[in-house]
């Protein structure tokens, strides 16, 4: 997940901060100190993160485009210049342009906005921008929400008391809400100084940039790994009381399956799995030459020269053309597989399925899968000419049955007209008439559509009065009987409104 750091370089950031027993610092100096701390952490623990640095006042400027060279980012911070007033809206337009040019609109991005809480003055200020949101045309829309998924973190080089003296906090909270609400506002706890700013950026690191370390198990083998980016908690919407589900730090491989059988399954996220180095010569992610750092470090680079199960697993999956099913938590699974970036380079990836015991319907329940050796006969055949998948369901699916569904009014009108056409051809179409009538009756009862039953009954009574003199006598009896049965069903009486009950033709002296 790439990161854009948006640094406020307006004049208000040059306000001095008195520190006891030392020289005066500007708020900009405190912000630079905090960002250096963030970049040093990312260089050690988030080396694969692409990061860009932008500066803004009334205009914006891209200082460092997306890359993994954290030395270049820190050098740019040390050469920041001071400009004029604050215009956050203009800066957000810049973020939108930069991210879409590099990543498009599908890639999620994190935005770290570093400011002192000053909203700007007059036209172009954040206060003015938010007050005029509803009066804007389509050509001057506010940049939030971004067209891509966003997490915004607002780092205020000010304490909460200072922000609450004006409406700054309210406006920043509204800004966060417009971005999607998936983020947080961080303020300095206590007086402004290096220590409190450092603590604030430490909170950001713990919240958004802490590495996810786990142990990958397969039988008696195991390996310490880092999952990048950090898996986000998943909330299932269909649960009565949704509780965020998190990935366990113990990842258990439960089996292996051929790529052809799992095909291209739906996943909620994809992650890079990196073995953690165990030898002392390799002490950080991606050790190697500068050219190597432009790409993701390979598994062998990450693990050093010591034997590592993660490297063995990666090579095996790549050679055998298989994937490993891994358990992420209670009734939650994913898969490990090798993905090639180029002809010479591939990575061990992990995709997360939707939580549940049956995330891929064609495989059935994951817990019901087992080794081929336990099967009575080889499910793939002696010459691999067949496959046990997809698993056939024991119960016929509802969408495979003849179910009446009315999505549009025209569909309901067609079914009613079909009944009336058959009614006019009674008694020749008696069986077809009652078949269509019972189909409509069941659908109306299932939907609780009592008015439909009353309406069709009235239509049948009308058809009975319009019968010509030459009509067969049985037609009038059948129409009156059907209308009476529909009226009884519409009353809701359990004796006549049973779903399983069918209206049978009336036996008359004219019936054959």
């Amino acid at each position: 997940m790439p990161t854009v750091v948006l640094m406020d370089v307006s004049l208000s950031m040059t306000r001095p901060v008195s520190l006891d027993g030392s020289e005066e610092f500007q708020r900009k100096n405190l912000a630079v100190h905090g960002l250096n701390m963030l970049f040093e952490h990312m260089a050690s623990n988030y080396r694969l993160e692409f990061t860009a640095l932008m500066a803004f006042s009334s205009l914006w400027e891209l200082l460092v485009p997306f890359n993994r060279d954290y030395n270049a980012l820190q050098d740019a911070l040390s050469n920041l210049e001071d400009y004029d007033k604050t215009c956050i809206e203009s800066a957000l337009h810049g973020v939108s342009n930069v991210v879409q040019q590099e990543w498009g609109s599908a890639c999620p991005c994190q935005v770290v906005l570093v400011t002192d809480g000053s909203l700007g003055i007059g036209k172009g200020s954040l206060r003015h921008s938010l007050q005029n949101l509803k009066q804007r045309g389509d050509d001057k829309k506010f940049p939030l929400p971004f067209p891509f998924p966003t997490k915004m973190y607002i780092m205020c080089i000010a304490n909460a008391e200072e922000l609450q003296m004006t409406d700054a906090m309210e406006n920043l909270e509204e800004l966060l809400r417009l971005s999607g609400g998936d983020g947080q506002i961080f303020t300095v706890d206590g007086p402004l100084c290096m220590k409190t700013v450092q603590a604030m950026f430490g909170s950001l690191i713990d919240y958004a940039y802490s590495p996810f370390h786990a142990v990958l198990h397969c039988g008696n083998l195991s390996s310490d790994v880092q999952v990048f980016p950090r898996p986000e908690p998943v909330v299932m919407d269909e649960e009565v009381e949704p509780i965020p589900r998190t990935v366990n730090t113990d990842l258990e491989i439960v089996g292996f399956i051929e790529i052809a059988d799992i095909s291209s399954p739906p996943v909620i996220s994809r992650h890079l799995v990196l073995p953690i180095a165990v030898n002392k010569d390799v002490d950080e992610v991606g050790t190697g030459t500068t050219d190597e750092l432009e790409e993701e470090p390979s598994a062998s680079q990450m693990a050093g020269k010591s034997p590592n199960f993660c490297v063995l697993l990666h090579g095996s999956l790549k050679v055998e053309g298989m994937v490993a099913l891994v358990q992420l938590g209670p009734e939650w699974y994913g898969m490990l597989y090798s993905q090639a970036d180029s002809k010479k380079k591939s990575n061990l990836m992990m995709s997360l399925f939707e939580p549940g015991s049956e995330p891929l319907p064609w495989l059935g329940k994951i817990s019901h899968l087992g080794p081929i050796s336990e099967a009575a006969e080889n499910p793939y055949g002696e010459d691999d000419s067949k496959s046990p998948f997809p698993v056939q369901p024991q119960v016929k699916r509802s969408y495979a049955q003849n179910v009446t569904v009315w999505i549009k009014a025209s569909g309901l009108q067609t079914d009613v007209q079909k009944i009336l056409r058959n009614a006019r051809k009674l008694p020749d179409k008696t069986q077809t008439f009652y078949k269509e009538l019972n189909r409509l009756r069941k659908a109306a009862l299932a939907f609780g559509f009592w008015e439909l039953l009353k309406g069709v009954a009235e239509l049948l009574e009308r058809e009975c009065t319009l019968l010509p003199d030459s009509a067969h006598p049985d037609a009038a009896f059948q129409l009156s009987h059907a209308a009476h049965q529909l009226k009884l069903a519409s009353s809701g009486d359990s004796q006549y409104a049973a779903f399983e009950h069918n209206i049978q033709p009336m036996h008359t002296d004219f019936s054959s």
Side-chain angles (χ1 to χ4, degrees):
M1 188 183 297
T3 296
V4 177
V5 175
L6 195 56
M7 177 68 179
D8 186 352
V9 290
S10 62
L11 289 175
S12 61
M13 288 289 285
T14 63
R15 286 181 291 168
V17 177
S18 299
L19 301 180
D20 295 337
S22 63
E23 59 180 324
E24 281 191 348
F25 282 91
Q26 296 178 354
R27 296 190 183 224
K28 182 181 72 173
N29 301 133
L30 298 179
V32 169
H33 175 72
L35 285 175
N36 278 323
M37 172 184 169
L38 174 63
F39 290 154
E40 289 171 2
H41 170 82
M42 294 172 71
S44 300
N45 300 281
Y46 258 61
R47 193 62 181 267
L48 301 181
E49 184 78 276
F50 282 96
T51 306
L53 177 62
M54 296 175 61
F56 77 95
S57 55
S58 60
L59 302 175
W60 62 271
E61 180 184 1
L62 179 62
L63 300 178
V64 182
F66 285 103
N67 67 75
R68 294 168 174 154
D69 187 355
Y70 289 95
N71 291 327
L73 291 166
Q74 290 178 305
D75 290 342
L77 281 179
S78 61
N79 297 316
L80 289 176
E81 298 183 9
D82 303 324
Y83 292 93
D84 51 5
K85 66 175 186 177
T86 303
C87 183
I88 293 179
E89 180 178 349
S90 171
L92 295 177
H93 277 296
V95 171
S96 182
N97 294 335
V98 169
V99 173
Q100 289 187 87
Q101 287 177 6
E102 186 74 24
W103 304 102
S105 58
C107 180
C109 183
Q110 299 186 122
V111 178
V112 179
L113 171 61
V114 183
T115 182
D116 61 342
S118 296
L119 306 180
I121 301 173
K123 188 176 181 179
S125 67
L126 181 61
R127 186 182 296 105
H128 180 270
S129 298
L130 297 179
Q131 287 174 349
N132 294 278
L133 284 179
K134 297 181 180 180
Q135 288 79 36
R136 295 167 177 253
D138 293 337
D139 56 335
K140 295 183 179 180
K141 292 181 65 175
F142 194 69
L144 295 181
F146 290 124
F148 46 87
T150 313
K151 288 187 175 182
M152 179 177 285
Y153 304 106
I154 302 176
M155 313 300 295
C156 293
I157 310 300
N159 53 43
E161 291 77 9
E162 181 181 350
L163 295 174
Q164 290 170 354
M165 291 174 63
T166 63
D167 60 349
M169 181 61 79
E170 295 178 6
N171 284 275
L172 292 176
E173 288 174 348
E174 177 65 11
L175 187 71
L176 187 65
R177 187 192 67 80
L178 290 173
S179 71
D182 200 359
Q184 191 169 326
I185 299 175
F186 293 87
T187 58
V188 174
D189 186 11
L192 279 178
C193 63
M194 290 289 186
K195 186 176 180 180
T196 54
V197 170
Q198 187 172 333
M200 180 180 69
F201 276 87
S203 300
L204 170 66
I205 290 172
D206 293 339
Y207 185 84
Y209 292 97
S210 57
F212 186 84
H213 293 150
V215 181
L216 183 61
H217 300 276
C218 182
N220 295 323
L221 300 174
S222 63
S223 175
D224 293 329
V225 296
Q226 178 180 347
V227 180
F228 179 88
R230 185 182 184 88
E232 297 291 334
V234 176
V235 179
M236 300 302 294
D237 294 335
E238 62 267 20
E239 294 183 2
V240 178
E241 295 181 0
I243 300 176
R245 303 185 65 174
T246 57
V247 176
N248 288 347
T249 54
D250 283 314
L251 307 177
E252 186 75 35
I253 293 177
V254 296
F256 300 88
I257 192 169
E258 294 185 3
I259 293 178
D261 290 332
I262 205 164
S263 187
S264 299
V267 299
I268 56 178
S269 61
R270 295 179 176 86
H271 306 266
L272 187 65
V273 179
L274 302 171
I276 296 177
V278 293
N279 59 313
K280 295 182 180 179
D281 296 334
V282 182
D283 57 356
E284 62 179 11
V285 175
T287 55
T289 64
T290 304
D291 294 337
E292 290 172 339
L293 292 180
E294 292 301 319
E295 300 292 337
E296 288 91 344
S298 65
S300 58
Q301 289 174 337
M302 291 293 299
K305 299 179 181 179
S306 300
N308 190 285
F309 164 63
C310 190
V311 178
L312 172 65
L313 174 67
H314 180 201
S316 303
L317 295 177
K318 182 178 180 181
V319 172
E320 297 296 330
M322 303 186 78
V323 302
L325 294 177
V326 58
Q327 186 163 9
L328 311 171
E331 291 194 342
W332 191 10
Y333 299 90
M335 67 176 183
L336 295 165
Y337 57 97
S338 176
Q339 183 180 60
D341 283 350
S342 62
K343 292 183 179 180
K344 296 183 179 180
K345 189 173 181 304
S346 62
N347 299 304
L348 183 62
M349 304 294 295
M350 181 173 71
S351 292
L352 276 55
F353 302 146
E354 288 278 357
S357 60
E358 197 173 349
L360 310 180
W362 62 91
L363 295 183
K365 288 190 175 182
I366 301 295
S367 58
H368 290 179
L369 298 176
I372 295 178
S373 58
E374 292 185 0
E377 60 180 18
N378 191 339
Y380 292 94
E382 297 300 328
D383 54 352
D384 291 340
S385 59
K386 59 180 183 178
S387 173
F389 307 109
V391 175
Q392 297 300 319
Q394 296 179 353
V395 180
K396 193 174 184 181
R397 299 294 186 187
S398 61
Y399 51 74
Q401 297 176 355
N402 186 20
V403 177
T404 302
V405 178
W406 298 311
I407 299 176
K408 297 181 179 179
S410 58
L412 174 58
Q413 184 179 5
T414 300
D415 285 346
V416 173
Q417 288 175 341
K418 192 182 298 183
I419 293 173
L420 295 179
R421 282 198 304 270
N422 287 306
R424 291 165 190 152
K425 296 178 182 179
L426 290 173
D428 296 337
K429 294 288 186 179
T430 299
Q431 296 302 323
T432 307
F433 169 74
Y434 279 100
K435 176 184 176 182
E436 295 298 329
L437 188 69
N438 283 312
R439 186 168 72 88
L440 180 136
R441 174 186 174 277
K442 284 190 174 183
L445 291 174
F447 300 143
F449 201 170
W450 314 112
E451 295 82 1
L452 175 62
L453 298 177
K454 293 179 182 178
V456 174
E458 292 172 357
L459 286 174
L460 294 180
E461 289 176 342
R462 180 175 179 274
E463 287 295 323
C464 186
T465 62
L466 295 176
L467 287 174
D469 295 338
S470 59
H472 195 284
D474 193 36
F477 287 107
Q478 297 297 344
L479 289 174
S480 298
H481 168 68
H484 179 63
Q485 291 295 318
L486 288 180
K487 285 186 175 181
L488 290 175
S490 67
S491 66
D493 190 337
S494 59
Q495 181 180 355
Y496 302 101
F499 183 78
E500 298 80 9
H501 175 70
N502 284 323
I503 301 175
Q504 299 297 330
M506 182 180 184
H507 293 286
T508 66
D509 293 339
F510 305 100
S511 303
S512 57

